[in-house]
Each structure stands twice: as structure tokens, then as C-alpha cells.
Amino acid sequence: MGEMGLGYGSEYQLLRFLGHHRNYLNGRIQEILGTQEEIHWLDYPSNYGKASLDAEWVGIECFKDEPNFDEIRQRWDNFWPSKTKAQNWDGIFRVGSKWYFVEAKAHEEETRSSCKASDPKSVEMINQAFGKVAAHYKSSKGNEWASADCKSYQLANRLAFIYFCRENGIDAALLYISFLNGYDKPGEKGRKNITTIAEWERIWQDEFDELGIDMKAVEGSWYNLCIDCTEHYANI
């Protein structure tokens, strides 16, 4: 996790909505999940080495208070290489007993990355995990997900995490928050801004196409919520 930008970017926008417009954010989330149950956000872990003084949850750390955490950790260690290569979460919340892992995005480049693992054992573990996930989603491209050419690696490893959770009795899903007009970085003149829902829909369709996964196959385990950062929320 890099340092948070002031006034722009996905991390800033998510914290802005959590701090200034939480009722609106929770209402939109409830709408897309089709529930009226209360949303319980996890507080972020502290990290005094960061300018924000906080860090992100990593991998399975959020389960540390679960009574069977030792078993979860042992199974995770056999599924994914290590904490240093584990998923960093922009936010986590629960609705009832179900866990939701949040990824916030403000421009397309944030969605594109390839696998950086170089240790042969780590690459082998990742490929084995991806093989199971690809088979689950009936994709014939799983052996490509960890290649340097695949730029949808981040989405692939997030889906792998949800697969792991569900295979181990943890009800979990991904919630992507795709911000519109959320990246007015000084000097950028808004050139990276995504301005329409259609643009985000095209981006995510391209990602799933690259992974060879039909988006209908992830219904209930992957959600996309678009929020316009320029709307007025005070009276909502």
C-alpha cells in the first residue's frame, strides 16, 4: 500500500465516504447486495510508519479472532505462498455472518497488474491455486493468469481468496467500488478519471474476458458498485 493522496484516488475516496458519507455508502451497498441487514465495518490495523498512521488488512489476518484461526492459517499456508504476497484489502465489512472484501478503484491503471512472484515454489503454489479456481469457474485460461502477459492478475488472486474462503466454510464475497470522477490528481487535469458507469463495465468485462470467466459465474461472489465522487450527498 502506498501513501494516500490528498483529495484524489481510490484510498482517499473510500475513506472519505466511510468518514463523511457512511450512511449513503452503506445504503448503496445494501442496495446492491439486496439486503437491509446492518453493515459492520472492521477498523483498520494501525501502522505508525505510514503518514496516515494506518495500514490495510492483509490476507487472512481478519480471521485472527476466529476460534479455528490456526486451522485456517495452516490451510492458507498450503494454498498461497506467504503473507508478503497475500492480498491487501482496501476495506472489510460483515453482514451477518458473511464477510465482504472491498477493492476500491479510481482509474483503470489501478486494475491492471501482472504476477510479480519470482520464487519457483511461490509461482508453483500460485499456479496450483489458480488451477483450482479456473476449474471452479470453468475457465480454460487458468494456466495464463500468473504469466507476465496477463494484466488481470490482481482480480485473479482476489477471486482465488474468495474461493479459498468458501472451500473452507467461510461465507465471503468481493465488493469492488468503482469511483466515477475520483482521480483529480494535481497535474493530471482529471485525465485518468472514469466518468461513466459504462466505462467501468467495459473495464471489468475486459478483465473477466482475459481470465476466461463468464461474469454470470461470479454472481453472488463478486459485486461492482459505481459511485460518483462529484454528487451531492448532504441531504441524502
Side-chain angles (χ1 to χ4, degrees), residues 133-149:
V133 180
H136 176 76
Y137 288 116
K138 297 179 173 58
S139 169
S140 61
K141 298 183 177 181
N143 61 337
E144 303 172 13
W145 294 356
S147 71
D149 293 331

mmCIF file of all heavy atoms in Angstrom, residues 133-149:
data_model
loop_
_atom_site.group_PDB
_atom_site.id
_atom_site.type_symbol
_atom_site.label_atom_id
_atom_site.label_comp_id
_atom_site.label_asym_id
_atom_site.label_seq_id
_atom_site.Cartn_x
_atom_site.Cartn_y
_atom_site.Cartn_z
ATOM 1 N N VAL A 133 -9.164 -22.602 -9.035
ATOM 2 C CA VAL A 133 -10.134 -21.527 -9.239
ATOM 3 C C VAL A 133 -10.658 -21.541 -10.670
ATOM 4 O O VAL A 133 -11.861 -21.384 -10.907
ATOM 5 C CB VAL A 133 -9.502 -20.160 -8.911
ATOM 6 C CG1 VAL A 133 -10.512 -19.039 -9.131
ATOM 7 C CG2 VAL A 133 -8.997 -20.127 -7.475
ATOM 8 N N ALA A 134 -9.752 -21.726 -11.627
ATOM 9 C CA ALA A 134 -10.163 -21.779 -13.033
ATOM 10 C C ALA A 134 -11.131 -22.927 -13.282
ATOM 11 O O ALA A 134 -12.125 -22.772 -14.000
ATOM 12 C CB ALA A 134 -8.933 -21.909 -13.929
ATOM 13 N N ALA A 135 -10.855 -24.073 -12.689
ATOM 14 C CA ALA A 135 -11.753 -25.221 -12.850
ATOM 15 C C ALA A 135 -13.116 -24.914 -12.238
ATOM 16 O O ALA A 135 -14.157 -25.270 -12.808
ATOM 17 C CB ALA A 135 -11.132 -26.457 -12.195
ATOM 18 N N HIS A 136 -13.107 -24.236 -11.097
ATOM 19 C CA HIS A 136 -14.367 -23.877 -10.430
ATOM 20 C C HIS A 136 -15.213 -22.982 -11.323
ATOM 21 O O HIS A 136 -16.445 -23.148 -11.389
ATOM 22 C CB HIS A 136 -14.052 -23.176 -9.115
ATOM 23 C CG HIS A 136 -15.268 -22.686 -8.387
ATOM 24 N ND1 HIS A 136 -16.107 -23.528 -7.696
ATOM 25 C CD2 HIS A 136 -15.783 -21.430 -8.260
ATOM 26 C CE1 HIS A 136 -17.095 -22.819 -7.158
ATOM 27 N NE2 HIS A 136 -16.917 -21.554 -7.496
ATOM 28 N N TYR A 137 -14.567 -22.037 -12.008
ATOM 29 C CA TYR A 137 -15.299 -21.098 -12.865
ATOM 30 C C TYR A 137 -15.333 -21.528 -14.330
ATOM 31 O O TYR A 137 -15.743 -20.746 -15.192
ATOM 32 C CB TYR A 137 -14.686 -19.704 -12.754
ATOM 33 C CG TYR A 137 -14.977 -19.033 -11.429
ATOM 34 C CD1 TYR A 137 -13.944 -18.726 -10.542
ATOM 35 C CD2 TYR A 137 -16.275 -18.727 -11.056
ATOM 36 C CE1 TYR A 137 -14.208 -18.115 -9.322
ATOM 37 C CE2 TYR A 137 -16.554 -18.115 -9.836
ATOM 38 C CZ TYR A 137 -15.507 -17.815 -8.982
ATOM 39 O OH TYR A 137 -15.774 -17.217 -7.770
ATOM 40 N N LYS A 138 -14.869 -22.752 -14.592
ATOM 41 C CA LYS A 138 -14.903 -23.328 -15.939
ATOM 42 C C LYS A 138 -14.128 -22.477 -16.951
ATOM 43 O O LYS A 138 -14.567 -22.268 -18.088
ATOM 44 C CB LYS A 138 -16.353 -23.534 -16.395
ATOM 45 C CG LYS A 138 -17.117 -24.530 -15.532
ATOM 46 C CD LYS A 138 -18.552 -24.688 -16.004
ATOM 47 C CE LYS A 138 -19.268 -25.815 -15.259
ATOM 48 N NZ LYS A 138 -19.285 -25.615 -13.792
ATOM 49 N N SER A 139 -12.975 -21.976 -16.519
ATOM 50 C CA SER A 139 -12.099 -21.223 -17.417
ATOM 51 C C SER A 139 -10.986 -22.126 -17.930
ATOM 52 O O SER A 139 -10.415 -22.910 -17.175
ATOM 53 C CB SER A 139 -11.480 -20.025 -16.685
ATOM 54 O OG SER A 139 -10.450 -19.440 -17.459
ATOM 55 N N SER A 140 -10.677 -21.974 -19.198
ATOM 56 C CA SER A 140 -9.580 -22.746 -19.797
ATOM 57 C C SER A 140 -8.267 -21.961 -19.793
ATOM 58 O O SER A 140 -7.264 -22.430 -20.334
ATOM 59 C CB SER A 140 -9.941 -23.113 -21.244
ATOM 60 O OG SER A 140 -10.124 -21.937 -22.021
ATOM 61 N N LYS A 141 -8.272 -20.777 -19.166
ATOM 62 C CA LYS A 141 -7.106 -19.897 -19.214
ATOM 63 C C LYS A 141 -6.343 -19.818 -17.892
ATOM 64 O O LYS A 141 -5.458 -18.978 -17.737
ATOM 65 C CB LYS A 141 -7.531 -18.495 -19.637
ATOM 66 C CG LYS A 141 -8.148 -18.409 -21.025
ATOM 67 C CD LYS A 141 -8.475 -16.972 -21.396
ATOM 68 C CE LYS A 141 -9.020 -16.863 -22.798
ATOM 69 N NZ LYS A 141 -9.316 -15.445 -23.161
ATOM 70 N N GLY A 142 -6.665 -20.667 -16.935
ATOM 71 C CA GLY A 142 -6.039 -20.585 -15.622
ATOM 72 C C GLY A 142 -4.531 -20.653 -15.641
ATOM 73 O O GLY A 142 -3.856 -20.035 -14.815
ATOM 74 N N ASN A 143 -3.972 -21.392 -16.598
ATOM 75 C CA ASN A 143 -2.510 -21.519 -16.663
ATOM 76 C C ASN A 143 -1.848 -20.247 -17.183
ATOM 77 O O ASN A 143 -0.621 -20.134 -17.194
ATOM 78 C CB ASN A 143 -2.112 -22.703 -17.551
ATOM 79 C CG ASN A 143 -2.599 -22.556 -18.983
ATOM 80 O OD1 ASN A 143 -3.556 -21.837 -19.258
ATOM 81 N ND2 ASN A 143 -1.952 -23.251 -19.897
ATOM 82 N N GLU A 144 -2.646 -19.254 -17.595
ATOM 83 C CA GLU A 144 -2.110 -17.986 -18.094
ATOM 84 C C GLU A 144 -2.170 -16.873 -17.052
ATOM 85 O O GLU A 144 -1.532 -15.826 -17.220
ATOM 86 C CB GLU A 144 -2.891 -17.538 -19.341
ATOM 87 C CG GLU A 144 -2.897 -18.540 -20.480
ATOM 88 C CD GLU A 144 -3.835 -18.119 -21.605
ATOM 89 O OE1 GLU A 144 -4.269 -16.942 -21.610
ATOM 90 O OE2 GLU A 144 -4.145 -18.966 -22.470
ATOM 91 N N TRP A 145 -2.909 -17.070 -15.972
ATOM 92 C CA TRP A 145 -3.193 -15.977 -15.041
ATOM 93 C C TRP A 145 -1.939 -15.436 -14.341
ATOM 94 O O TRP A 145 -1.890 -14.261 -13.993
ATOM 95 C CB TRP A 145 -4.201 -16.423 -13.994
ATOM 96 C CG TRP A 145 -5.568 -16.736 -14.534
ATOM 97 C CD1 TRP A 145 -5.991 -16.590 -15.822
ATOM 98 C CD2 TRP A 145 -6.673 -17.267 -13.809
ATOM 99 N NE1 TRP A 145 -7.301 -16.992 -15.951
ATOM 100 C CE2 TRP A 145 -7.736 -17.412 -14.728
ATOM 101 C CE3 TRP A 145 -6.856 -17.629 -12.475
ATOM 102 C CZ2 TRP A 145 -8.984 -17.908 -14.335
ATOM 103 C CZ3 TRP A 145 -8.091 -18.123 -12.078
ATOM 104 C CH2 TRP A 145 -9.148 -18.257 -13.003
ATOM 105 N N ALA A 146 -0.948 -16.299 -14.122
ATOM 106 C CA ALA A 146 0.272 -15.865 -13.440
ATOM 107 C C ALA A 146 1.380 -15.487 -14.418
ATOM 108 O O ALA A 146 2.513 -15.233 -14.000
ATOM 109 C CB ALA A 146 0.766 -16.953 -12.488
ATOM 110 N N SER A 147 1.069 -15.426 -15.704
ATOM 111 C CA SER A 147 2.075 -15.071 -16.700
ATOM 112 C C SER A 147 2.275 -13.562 -16.731
ATOM 113 O O SER A 147 1.414 -12.782 -16.302
ATOM 114 C CB SER A 147 1.650 -15.560 -18.093
ATOM 115 O OG SER A 147 0.562 -14.780 -18.577
ATOM 116 N N ALA A 148 3.402 -13.138 -17.258
ATOM 117 C CA ALA A 148 3.702 -11.709 -17.348
ATOM 118 C C ALA A 148 2.743 -11.005 -18.300
ATOM 119 O O ALA A 148 2.529 -9.791 -18.192
ATOM 120 C CB ALA A 148 5.145 -11.514 -17.813
ATOM 121 N N ASP A 149 2.158 -11.747 -19.226
ATOM 122 C CA ASP A 149 1.265 -11.145 -20.216
ATOM 123 C C ASP A 149 -0.128 -10.874 -19.670
ATOM 124 O O ASP A 149 -0.868 -10.057 -20.222
ATOM 125 C CB ASP A 149 1.146 -12.063 -21.442
ATOM 126 C CG ASP A 149 2.455 -12.172 -22.209
ATOM 127 O OD1 ASP A 149 3.231 -11.200 -22.174
ATOM 128 O OD2 ASP A 149 2.689 -13.224 -22.818
#
